[in-house]
Amino acid sequence: MRYSFILLVLLLTLSGLQLKAQVVVRARIVEKGTSAPVPFATVRYGAGNQGVIADLDGYFEIPGASSSPSTIEVSCMGYKTLVLPLPLPGNTVSLEPAGKELAEVTVKPPYEKIRRILNETIKNKPANDPDKYDRYRCHIYYKMLADASLPDSNAAKDTSADIKEFKAFSSRQHLLMSETYSIRNWQRPGKLQEDILATRFSGLKKSAFTSVVTDVLPFHAYTDYITLNGKDYHNPVTPGYNLHYRFNLSDELLDGTDTIWVLRFRPKGIAGNSLTGKVYIHSNGFAISRLVAAVKDPGMDQTVRIEQEYKRIPYDANSSRWFPAQLNYVIERAMKADKTPYTLQMTGRSVIDSVSWDPEKTRFDKSHTVRLADGATEHSDSLLNRLRPGSLDAKEQMTYHVIDSLGAKVKADKILEYMRNLPRGRVSVGAVDIDLMRLLSYNRYENIRLGLGLQTNDRILKWASVGGWAGYGFGDKRWKYGGFAEFYFDKYKEFVLRGSYADDLGDPGRIHIAKELDKNYLRKFLLTRVDLTKTYTVSMSGKFGYWNAEVAAEEQQFIPNYNYALRINGEDHAMFRSREASLNLRYAYGERTAPIFGTYMRTDSKYPIWFGKITTGEMNAGMPYQKYIKAVSGILWRGHLNRIGTEHIMLEAGKIWSDGSLPISRLFAGNGFKYDARYLYSLYGFGGIMTLFPYEVYTDRFAQAIFRHDMDWKLYKLESPDFDLSSAPNIALQYGMLYGDLKNAAAHQNIDIMVPSKGYHEAGMLLNNLIRLRSRTYYQSFNIGYFYPLSSQGPVDLEKKGKIVIGASIEL
């Protein structure tokens, strides 16, 4: 009996020791005073270099070990290091901000070790890059919060009623809030489908637009550039990192038998396209396990910060793969209202789970990359309650309650009804839409044109629309008008049958394939030579995956409104009639699209875009119709290449086969952007020849190539906050060439035609962002450059001088 008792005591004692050894420490690290989570803090424990890193929400966990630690050391950049005994008194650890009293100690970094870590990580990027995986499926929950805050100094000193009310409001709720739950499917080489199951935006019963976290930051950090809010920044873990960044090894931890290296990086030189932050490299696969990066725009008083976390997901019985687990961002912008400074903040958080490496077969809708499931916007509240990983806190619930009530009171959904066709350039007013592009325009021929365009909308018929337009040019003192009817065969209105009539002006010889290739906005502005046209058109257009296609039939009467005649068989003709049938195609492999107000807008494609158009027609000029075939094709590509810069390439060629001579309106006009012979400048737009006039060259066969290289580095950076002015120019080099020919050029009477049969070449240099003017929400950038014709071959006018080119752009 006594031995049995001793044995029992011994077993209980050993059990107690074993239980003590298996104690797991779980806690959350927050900022003292604000209780905001401190992401990626380092927690050291034990006698060795053992440690763990807190996640994006500040949570950490120390697993059981054979020897239980007695203390932990918690540290994070920007906070005072804290040593705490175990067990912890609670489940929260509060870190105090370091402030300015802590001086930074400069230690010479171990450059060779850093170089080896980075090079090994770059070498292993293909094995850890989600875009290189054959396929995957994951679920993404994304929440966006918008807030406004006062600086601590102002909030403490100002005790006015307005400040008190503002502080009370911001403590109860957020300004705005949105949620999206989606399923993301990927398949190599470039198939992507994001199905949104539920989405909600505070203040709206039905969300008019959808957002996903990748609208702001990339899905992963394995590309050469990290795109934040639409702007490219150099990735610190990519070949050529030493050209843009300085590194320091700030920490080194043991994670079981693996090592985590914490590398701090900051820009080298002028930090125009570089980031500041930390990257965590895990020795298991030399993968990025965490990334914290930020960039500040002093001119806009805006800071963008991102936080990414990756985890190993089991792939099979013997291996795992790294995959994004959380993607967060914070955008802060300093503002002023009645001389009171405040900060607008937009915070985005996403949780990625349910990762599958061999999902069931997915039907990829190439036309609609981001796809809304039925009922995703109408019943979002009940759906999100079931789907979101966790519940909303009291402040978030109050935000929906208050902002939804306010939205109902001001009829926010009804206001957005006016904007539902804004992506198509129209504003809805009742049962009709107003065409904004018809209200006001300017060109050098008409000067100012005022007009109005109206058409019916969904409130009358969802599957059809009838409209008309009219405009008056104050320069030529003529009315132009037209009418049309459209029939829609799908809910997105992408398959359209259209019939129209227009009494308008024509741009003789202008090539019309696609807006991004034609640069019609500049050509319309430079319009000085016009045909008076009366046109009947019937067309059918549609979208088929990465293809866009349009089939059209057209009959047109056109009269040159300038001194021109076409001589045929000894007779001059100045009135023409044509009948044409055409097929217009566009192919953009891997192009992304997203819905805005129900309309799918193109976002980007990293591959070249191909355009093609073939037209067969016949023309009458007071004699029997003569037949012709016209074919034109083009390629447009823009790519940001690591260590090189941004490349722009445009290739275009065309040829006409005809029974006889055609008027210049059916030839190919040279794409010249030269403004006027009296001035030394041209208007810049990529895709044109800067030193040629718009109507200087006509051909019946041509080939054109334009190349532009934008350098990443900046010449200098100057700021003038008092005048909202800055200058940070980068150099761009451009080269253009044009070859062409024209049969029977003598048939074209009363005008001079230049034919670049031996080629026309020009080269130029641009200074982009030479002057940047800042407003509250965007930059207005002004560019300047100089272009010079290099070739004097052929019948091209050789008394040309170089031209100064000017251009402007808007950056949000």
Side-chain angles (χ1 to χ4, degrees):
M1 182 70 178
R2 185 180 62 176
Y3 294 107
S4 300
F5 177 76
I6 294 173
L7 182 59
L8 178 61
V9 171
L10 183 60
L11 288 173
L12 288 175
T13 304
L14 292 174
S15 299
L17 292 174
Q18 182 66 22
L19 288 172
K20 182 180 178 181
Q22 294 301 323
V23 169
V24 176
V25 180
R26 296 187 182 92
R28 190 184 195 194
I29 304 170
V30 299
E31 182 178 283
K32 187 175 181 179
T34 66
S35 296
V38 178
F40 301 155
T42 301
V43 182
R44 295 179 179 275
Y45 61 90
N49 205 27
Q50 293 285 336
V52 295
I53 297 172
D55 65 16
L56 280 167
D57 295 316
Y59 290 102
F60 72 92
E61 180 178 299
I62 298 177
S66 57
S67 59
S68 180
S70 59
T71 62
I72 62 170
E73 180 187 275
V74 184
S75 61
C76 187
M77 185 173 60
Y79 295 88
K80 295 181 180 179
T81 300
L82 186 64
V83 178
L84 295 171
L86 293 179
L88 295 174
N91 57 5
T92 301
V93 176
S94 297
L95 287 185
E96 183 180 351
K100 297 182 180 179
E101 68 275 9
L102 295 181
E104 183 175 341
V105 179
T106 302
V107 179
K108 185 177 180 181
Y111 293 115
E112 180 60 25
K113 185 173 184 178
I114 292 172
R115 186 184 67 81
R116 291 176 63 185
I117 293 170
L118 287 171
N119 288 345
E120 195 67 24
T121 305
I122 292 170
K123 177 183 174 182
N124 282 272
K125 281 176 72 173
N128 299 313
D129 183 353
D131 287 351
K132 297 295 191 293
Y133 299 158
D134 289 336
R135 60 173 61 87
Y136 64 77
R137 172 181 291 176
C138 62
H139 293 206
I140 305 176
Y141 169 73
Y142 167 51
K143 177 167 58 181
M144 184 279 293
L145 303 172
D147 293 280
S149 61
L150 295 171
D152 293 338
S153 56
N154 283 40
K157 294 177 182 178
D158 199 327
T159 59
S160 65
D162 288 343
I163 295 298
K164 289 182 178 179
E165 183 180 352
F166 177 83
K167 291 172 66 177
F169 173 87
S170 58
S171 65
R172 289 193 311 266
Q173 67 175 81
H174 305 282
L175 288 178
L176 290 172
M177 177 178 173
S178 72
E179 294 177 279
T180 301
Y181 192 93
S182 62
I183 297 177
R184 179 185 177 98
N185 281 280
W186 166 266
Q187 183 176 315
R188 289 187 67 185
K191 291 183 179 180
L192 174 64
Q193 188 73 61
E194 190 130 10
D195 288 309
I196 295 177
L197 304 186
T199 181
R200 186 180 182 187
F201 197 95
S202 58
L204 301 175
K205 293 180 180 178
K206 181 179 179 180
S207 182
F209 41 84
T210 59
S211 62
V212 292
V213 69
T214 48
D215 292 338
V216 181
L217 76 164
F219 188 67
H220 58 79
Y222 285 98
T223 52
D224 289 336
Y225 292 89
I226 295 176
T227 303
L228 303 181
N229 223 16
K231 185 175 180 180
D232 288 347
Y233 296 91
H234 297 287
N235 190 332
V237 186
T238 200
Y241 56 81
N242 57 316
L243 299 175
H244 308 289
Y245 291 102
R246 300 183 188 277
F247 287 87
N248 195 0
L249 180 61
S250 65
D251 214 339
E252 185 171 337
L253 298 171
L254 292 178
D255 181 19
T257 58
D258 296 316
T259 303
I260 300 174
W261 296 284
V262 184
L263 303 180
R264 293 178 59 182
F265 56 87
R266 56 188 174 89
K268 179 188 289 187
I270 300 175
N273 297 86
S274 300
L275 304 165
T276 300
K278 295 188 295 183
V279 60
Y280 297 69
I281 306 298
H282 203 288
S283 63
N284 187 324
F286 277 85
I288 298 172
S289 62
R290 293 169 177 85
L291 173 69
V292 180
V295 62
K296 184 172 183 179
D297 183 343
M300 196 69 76
D301 285 334
Q302 176 176 287
T303 300
V304 180
R305 185 172 73 252
I306 66 168
E307 301 164 344
Q308 295 186 339
E309 183 177 6
Y310 300 79
K311 290 184 178 179
R312 282 173 290 179
I313 307 296
Y315 178 66
D316 55 31
N318 301 314
S319 64
S320 61
R321 285 176 168 179
W322 288 94
F323 200 78
Q326 288 195 47
L327 307 174
N328 294 356
Y329 67 84
V330 178
I331 301 175
E332 293 181 331
R333 177 172 291 185
M335 308 287 283
K336 277 188 179 181
D338 296 330
K339 298 184 179 179
T340 300
Y342 66 97
T343 301
L344 282 179
Q345 183 182 79
M346 187 168 73
T347 304
R349 182 195 173 202
S350 67
V351 178
I352 302 170
D353 56 22
S354 303
V355 180
S356 172
W357 304 116
D358 190 20
E360 59 187 45
K361 189 174 181 180
T362 302
R363 178 187 173 272
F364 288 89
D365 187 347
K366 301 174 185 177
S367 301
H368 312 107
T369 312
V370 179
R371 191 167 51 188
L372 279 170
D374 292 337
T377 59
E378 290 88 346
H379 310 291
S380 56
D381 190 20
S382 58
L383 280 171
L384 284 168
N385 286 336
R386 299 198 309 266
L387 295 172
R388 71 167 66 93
S391 58
L392 300 178
D393 60 30
K395 190 173 181 179
E396 293 165 346
Q397 293 179 37
M398 181 62 72
T399 303
Y400 273 138
H401 175 71
V402 174
I403 303 301
D404 286 354
S405 300
L406 180 61
K409 186 175 180 179
V410 301
K411 300 180 179 178
D413 288 273
K414 189 170 184 179
I415 294 173
L416 286 178
E417 277 290 307
Y418 294 105
M419 304 171 62
R420 59 183 171 162
N421 284 315
L422 201 57
R424 295 184 172 96
R426 308 195 301 262
V427 173
S428 299
V429 181
V432 298
D433 288 351
I434 299 174
D435 190 339
L436 299 177
M437 306 306 294
R438 296 284 184 184
L439 296 177
L440 174 66
S441 63
Y442 176 86
N443 61 66
R444 300 185 64 203
Y445 180 80
E446 294 178 287
N447 293 325
I448 294 175
R449 182 197 278 200
L450 293 178
L452 180 66
L454 301 174
Q455 71 179 91
T456 61
N457 58 35
D458 294 353
R459 293 195 174 185
I460 295 179
L461 285 174
K462 293 184 178 296
W463 51 270
S465 177
V466 178
W469 60 271
Y472 182 79
F474 286 86
D476 62 344
K477 300 185 180 346
R478 289 178 60 93
W479 280 97
K480 297 89 184 174
Y481 53 89
F484 62 89
E486 294 178 339
F487 300 90
Y488 313 116
F489 297 90
D490 70 312
K491 64 179 180 179
Y492 302 119
K493 298 182 180 179
E494 293 173 343
F495 290 84
V496 183
L497 175 63
R498 178 184 172 96
S500 65
Y501 169 78
D503 189 323
D504 202 357
L505 302 179
D507 193 0
R510 196 58 58 214
I511 302 170
H512 297 283
I513 306 180
K515 291 181 180 179
E516 62 255 63
L517 192 69
D518 300 340
K519 296 293 187 295
N520 284 332
Y521 62 92
L522 270 180
R523 290 170 171 175
K524 287 182 179 178
F525 180 82
L526 294 170
L527 187 69
T528 57
R529 180 183 290 178
V530 302
D531 292 331
L532 305 180
T533 64
K534 296 181 179 180
T535 310
Y536 296 89
T537 306
V538 176
S539 65
M540 181 70 188
S541 59
K543 196 171 183 181
F544 308 89
Y546 298 137
W547 288 91
N548 287 76
E550 181 185 54
V551 179
E554 177 182 285
E555 182 172 348
Q556 183 180 80
Q557 175 187 300
F558 56 99
I559 301 173
N561 201 33
Y562 46 95
N563 188 16
Y564 171 78
L566 179 65
R567 181 163 295 176
I568 302 176
N569 298 327
E571 295 183 5
D572 291 347
H573 301 272
M575 179 182 293
F576 308 94
R577 184 179 296 275
S578 66
R579 294 195 291 248
E580 293 183 342
S582 63
L583 172 63
N584 196 345
L585 298 172
R586 178 185 183 273
Y587 182 75
Y589 178 78
E591 185 174 60
R592 309 287 189 243
T593 59
I596 301 176
F597 294 103
T599 299
Y600 272 86
M601 306 296 293
R602 299 166 183 161
T603 54
D604 68 324
S605 175
K606 62 181 180 180
Y607 301 99
I609 302 174
W610 175 83
F611 308 87
K613 185 176 183 180
I614 186 165
T615 303
T616 177
E618 53 185 19
M619 189 202 67
N620 175 280
M623 68 283 192
Y625 278 98
Q626 63 179 45
K627 297 182 179 180
Y628 58 91
I629 297 175
K630 194 174 182 181
V632 63
S633 180
I635 292 176
L636 192 63
W637 180 73
R638 176 188 179 275
H640 205 162
L641 305 180
N642 185 37
R643 293 184 287 182
I644 296 177
T646 303
E647 306 300 323
H648 306 257
I649 298 176
M650 193 201 82
L651 306 174
E652 195 172 11
K655 181 175 174 61
I656 298 173
W657 298 265
S658 65
D659 295 340
S661 298
L662 298 176
I664 61 171
S665 296
R666 292 299 178 265
L667 300 178
F668 299 120
N671 199 15
F673 287 169
K674 185 176 174 183
Y675 185 72
D676 196 298
R678 297 170 294 174
Y679 304 107
L680 292 177
Y681 65 87
S682 300
L683 298 179
Y684 181 76
F686 179 74
I689 302 295
M690 300 299 113
T691 54
L692 282 178
F693 286 114
Y695 309 101
E696 199 164 3
V697 170
Y698 281 97
T699 63
D700 56 18
R701 70 192 75 179
F702 79 98
Q704 176 178 282
I706 299 177
F707 307 92
R708 191 178 95 197
H709 170 73
D710 295 351
M711 299 181 182
D712 280 340
W713 52 270
K714 299 181 184 299
L715 290 175
Y716 59 83
K717 190 173 184 179
L718 299 176
E719 299 279 353
S720 178
D722 295 337
F723 297 98
D724 293 331
L725 186 69
S726 65
S727 178
N730 64 295
I731 294 176
L733 303 177
Q734 181 167 314
Y735 183 83
M737 64 181 76
L738 172 65
Y739 287 83
D741 204 354
L742 177 63
K743 294 184 298 184
N744 195 17
H748 304 278
Q749 303 297 302
N750 308 323
I751 64 170
D752 295 325
I753 292 181
M754 298 180 180
V755 183
S757 56
K758 295 185 179 180
Y760 186 88
H761 302 255
E762 71 171 14
M765 182 178 75
L766 290 161
L767 291 179
N768 295 321
N769 301 316
L770 181 64
I771 299 175
R772 303 179 84 196
L773 299 176
R774 180 175 72 92
S775 74
R776 281 177 175 257
T777 56
Y778 65 88
Y779 280 114
Q780 176 73 55
S781 298
F782 295 92
N783 317 317
I784 194 167
Y786 186 80
F787 281 73
Y788 194 84
L790 301 177
S791 173
S792 61
Q793 299 177 357
V796 179
D797 176 16
L798 304 190
E799 296 301 319
K800 295 183 182 297
K801 304 212 174 184
K803 292 294 174 185
I804 297 173
V805 300
I806 56 175
S809 60
I810 291 178
E811 177 186 335
L812 297 177

